[in-house]
Amino acid sequence: MFKGLVFATGMYFAIKWHYDREKQGTDRRALLRMGGKMAVIFVLLLLVLLLLTFGLARMLGMDLSLP
């Protein structure tokens, strides 16, 4: 019951946010710039996670060499 209420509330606010953004009108250039920034941040976080994973594996003595 609680999960359903939280889910429904989240969906309501997500739809309301998208509807309000559509009314507001967006600048195409700013939208592309933000999308590019998000892509760069995602790739950087992915690289950091990869490095941390391999660092932890080596610290634990796991063999990471390819056959």
Side-chain angles (χ1 to χ4, degrees), residues 4-14:
L5 183 64
V6 170
F7 182 71
T9 305
M11 288 299 295
Y12 169 77
F13 283 115

Side-chain angles (χ1 to χ4, degrees), residues 9-67:
T9 305
M11 288 299 295
Y12 169 77
F13 283 115
I15 292 169
K16 183 180 180 317
W17 182 80
H18 280 87
Y19 181 74
D20 291 344
R21 290 286 292 189
E22 188 176 300
K23 279 180 147 180
Q24 191 178 48
T26 57
D27 182 21
R28 188 175 198 92
R29 183 179 288 176
L31 189 61
L32 287 173
R33 190 177 3 202
M34 183 149 82
K37 286 180 185 177
M38 294 305 265
V40 168
I41 289 171
F42 177 75
V43 169
L44 288 175
L45 287 174
L46 191 63
L47 287 173
V48 167
L49 180 64
L50 183 68
L51 289 174
L52 288 174
T53 302
F54 276 101
L56 180 65
R58 284 185 190 243
M59 189 173 65
L60 293 175
M62 295 180 172
D63 183 22
L64 299 175
S65 61
L66 295 174

